[in-house]
Amino acid sequence: AELRRTHAHRLLPAPDAQVEHAPLRSARVFKSGLSCSPEPLEMFHTWAENPSSISKLPQATVESLLDSATALLAELPGPLLELRLPRRGEDPKLVLVGDTHGQLLDVLHILHLHGPPSDNTVYLFNGDIADRGPQAVEIWLLLLSFKLRAPGNIHILRGNHENRVMNERSVRMGGGFADECLAKYGQEVFD
């Protein structure tokens, strides 16, 4: 697949490329018996079509999603990540995304531009998802939901803002994730 560099953080398909999306894998069931609801594609499409519809998810859904994501991430082999460009589809691509800092609309735009994670569209989020922006929690929930559905098609690295000390700083000091998370979901979810 022919790729062109358009920004330091991402590779885009050639302008004439067709984007094809593979279906997501079946849902996992969480410890509490809940499945991840709403589905990541439902969240993505609802939020992208109407940003004013972005609202707090039910506490039980968030806690269950985090339980399942924690279990999945604990199964990963270690800190070294070996990625290859997908070989399926007409326009396979690896999309590199970095420094979203709570800007959910930017993440939704990138997902709209390239399509959701699939067998021919693999994402690597290169850290610094948290802090500064107002919707880092929603970005994390969306990315973890996609990770649970398509574990091999979305990868998330830890940046310097995925750090408790940094998160607990005020927004003015480059942090803010702790305040955002505590206001939306409380201490247990933040921990």
Side-chain angles (χ1 to χ4, degrees):
E2 181 182 331
L3 297 174
R4 62 186 170 92
R5 187 174 296 281
T6 62
H7 189 274
H9 294 292
R10 58 184 167 193
L11 297 174
L12 298 177
D16 58 343
Q18 294 284 339
V19 178
E20 180 182 310
H21 308 293
L24 294 172
R25 292 180 174 85
S26 62
R28 283 180 88 120
V29 176
F30 300 110
K31 289 180 200 172
S32 64
L34 297 172
S35 64
C36 178
S37 178
E39 291 293 321
L41 282 175
E42 182 183 332
M43 281 194 295
F44 163 61
H45 290 298
T46 300
W47 292 350
E49 290 170 10
N50 184 7
S52 65
S53 70
I54 299 168
S55 61
K56 183 179 170 189
L57 296 176
Q59 186 81 18
T61 300
V62 171
E63 290 175 6
S64 294
L65 186 147
L66 293 176
D67 284 345
S68 195
T70 299
L72 176 68
L73 296 173
E75 295 171 6
L76 295 177
L80 185 61
L81 189 59
E82 185 176 322
L83 297 177
R84 288 186 170 73
L85 185 65
R87 296 174 192 242
R88 296 182 184 169
E90 292 182 29
D91 184 30
K93 60 186 162 254
L94 171 64
V95 181
L96 302 172
V97 183
D99 298 273
T100 59
H101 286 294
Q103 300 302 318
L104 178 62
L105 295 180
D106 291 350
V107 172
L108 295 173
H109 175 73
I110 291 166
L111 289 167
H112 176 74
L113 187 65
H114 300 288
S118 67
D119 288 340
N120 69 316
T121 304
V122 175
Y123 281 86
L124 174 60
F125 282 82
N126 199 24
D128 288 358
I129 294 165
D131 292 328
R132 298 185 188 156
Q135 294 170 316
V137 170
E138 288 80 5
I139 294 171
W140 274 110
L141 296 174
L142 182 62
L143 297 183
L144 291 173
S145 293
F146 274 124
K147 182 72 176 169
L148 290 170
R149 297 302 177 270
N153 299 331
I154 182 167
H155 306 279
I156 306 166
L157 301 178
R158 180 187 147 308
N160 68 313
H161 282 267
E162 281 71 50
N163 173 291
R164 187 175 192 99
V165 172
M166 183 67 80
N167 294 159
E168 290 176 343
R169 291 180 181 176
S170 71
V171 172
R172 289 187 8 214
M173 298 297 293
F177 183 69
D179 291 338
E180 177 192 355
C181 193
L182 292 170
K184 292 176 180 176
Y185 295 104
Q187 188 69 46
E188 188 174 340
V189 168
F190 177 67
D191 289 339

